[in-house]
């Protein structure tokens, strides 16, 4: 099926609710870029105006790139309106701002620094016993 040849579903002008605030406006713009049109509002179900699961993945990537917030395509598909996505992004942003920065895999595998005998230097990555004095 050539989806580009299909007509864009029409949404009645009375159903189109304009974005309010910076978050909804930014998400509306991202969704419009992914969908290729602006014939929807912030309360419109994006699935009814052409959003597919692949497009949802593209929207997730765009949100992560622009906003630095991790959400999933499942989140978008469970509430596929801009207002619902904005709420999910706001919640994810709040959770991420209170979490610690991620630790790299190599840092996770590295043993803690150990003091050398005499306490004047440290051995990194050694298997020294923890009974050494600092």
């Amino acid at each position: 099926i050539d989806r580009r040849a299909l007509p864009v579903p029409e949404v009645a002008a009375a159903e189109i609710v304009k974005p309010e605030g910076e978050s909804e406006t930014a998400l509306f713009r991202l969704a419009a870029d992914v969908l290729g049109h602006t014939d929807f509002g912030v309360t419109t179900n994006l699935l009814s105006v052409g959003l597919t699961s692949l497009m949802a993945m593209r929207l997730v990537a765009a949100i992560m790139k622009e906003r630095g917030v991790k959400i999933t395509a499942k989140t978008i598909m469970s509430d596929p309106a801009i207002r619902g996505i904005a709420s999910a992004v706001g919640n994810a942003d709040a959770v991420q701002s209170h979490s610690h920065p991620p630790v790299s895999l190599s840092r996770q595998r590295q043993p803690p620094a150990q003091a050398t005998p005499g306490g004047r230097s440290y051995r990194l990555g050694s298997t020294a016993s923890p009974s050494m004095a600092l």
Side-chain angles (χ1 to χ4, degrees):
I1 296 176
D2 183 6
R3 293 188 183 274
R4 286 178 243 174
L6 296 172
V8 175
E10 293 183 26
V11 178
E15 295 177 29
I16 295 179
V17 178
K18 298 292 180 194
E20 297 175 0
E22 181 269 329
S23 181
E24 283 186 4
T25 302
L27 291 170
F28 181 86
R29 183 180 44 76
L30 293 173
D33 288 346
V34 169
L35 289 168
H37 64 88
T38 59
D39 299 331
F40 60 94
V42 295
T43 58
T44 305
N45 182 329
L46 297 178
L47 298 173
S48 69
V49 292
L51 184 75
T52 64
S53 58
L54 184 58
M55 288 177 173
M57 293 299 297
R58 289 178 51 211
L59 184 55
V60 164
I63 291 169
M64 188 182 312
K65 182 178 179 183
E66 184 166 303
R67 308 285 305 234
V69 176
K70 275 188 161 182
I71 63 168
T72 63
K74 182 179 179 180
T75 302
I76 290 175
M77 298 304 252
S78 67
D79 191 357
I82 296 298
R83 196 155 280 165
I85 297 168
S87 175
V89 166
N91 292 340
D93 194 25
V95 168
Q96 288 177 7
S97 67
H98 289 93
S99 64
H100 298 287
V103 177
S104 70
L105 186 59
S106 62
R107 216 33 161 163
Q108 292 172 6
R109 288 183 279 180
Q110 182 179 8
Q114 300 288 331
T116 59
R120 294 181 186 229
S121 62
Y122 289 92
R123 273 189 235 166
L124 297 177
S126 71
T127 56
S129 70
S131 62
M132 292 183 176
L134 292 177

